Amino acid sequence: MGKKGKDKDAEPSFQEEIPEPDGLENPPDPPPEVASAILKDLGWEVFQMPVTYRKYFFSTQRREARVQAPYFEVLGLPETDFRTITKDGIWKAFFQRRATYKQADQEGSLTEELKDEGDRVDWDLIMEAYQVLADQEARAEYEARNLLPQARHQLIGLQVMHEAQVREEAALAEVRAVSEAAAAAAAEAEGE
């Protein structure tokens, strides 16, 4: 007999269910950028994707989503001019930010200590922005993933996902509020 005869005698195999990774059940802590005053002042918020918990940035004012922080704006540079901003311009903007956040010693030199330790998240964001924008390859990747027209077009999916998630959370909150009000009314009716 050929192959067909062998298949009839073989027992059907069942595929085991693949368990979900432990990380999906217990979401990680929110990213530190959530506490950034710079991002809040610029109108950006930090969120996590619902399944992967990867962070992303969303601006309600601009109705725009990004996979990385708005690094040019973090350094105080106009993002609309990202193609013409030079490495020297990035350095000057970084130094201005550094003078704002770092302490000066008696001679006026900037030290490595922060003026306010509560600004650690913002300083880390400024350093990350400078490191990405000062490195030619990292800057090109950042621009390709966040600023170029094709990237903005691709990020519309992230924006739509975010807006749908916000609507879903609002609907769940409304349902919870209605059920809590009904439970409170039922408890009050029982108490009478």
Side-chain angles (χ1 to χ4, degrees), residues 71-185:
Y71 291 142
F72 286 102
E73 291 179 359
V74 165
L75 292 179
L77 296 168
E79 200 167 73
T80 54
D81 301 335
F82 76 92
R83 293 175 193 241
T84 59
I85 296 174
T86 63
K87 198 170 184 175
D88 188 50
I90 293 168
W91 167 249
K92 289 177 183 175
F94 170 72
F95 192 78
Q96 286 178 340
R97 286 288 193 174
R98 184 171 185 236
T100 305
Y101 284 88
K102 294 291 185 168
Q103 290 182 5
D105 60 10
Q106 286 81 12
E107 292 90 41
S109 301
L110 294 176
T111 65
E112 289 301 314
E113 296 178 24
L114 292 172
K115 290 179 182 176
D116 180 11
E117 198 56 40
D119 291 334
R120 173 65 56 193
V121 171
D122 288 334
W123 177 249
D124 290 344
L125 187 63
I126 291 168
M127 282 301 299
E128 181 181 343
Y130 176 71
Q131 289 170 349
V132 167
L133 298 178
D135 179 27
Q136 200 170 17
E137 288 179 22
R139 178 178 173 177
E141 182 183 342
Y142 168 75
E143 291 173 359
R145 293 179 71 198
N146 296 283
L147 300 176
L148 295 178
Q150 69 269 17
R152 290 182 185 260
H153 186 68
Q154 289 175 345
L155 290 170
I156 290 174
L158 183 58
Q159 172 192 334
V160 169
M161 182 222 42
H162 173 78
E163 291 171 347
Q165 184 178 350
V166 167
R167 283 191 302 272
E168 183 179 313
E169 288 172 0
L172 286 173
E174 187 177 325
V175 167
R176 260 187 256 122
V178 168
S179 66
E180 288 173 3

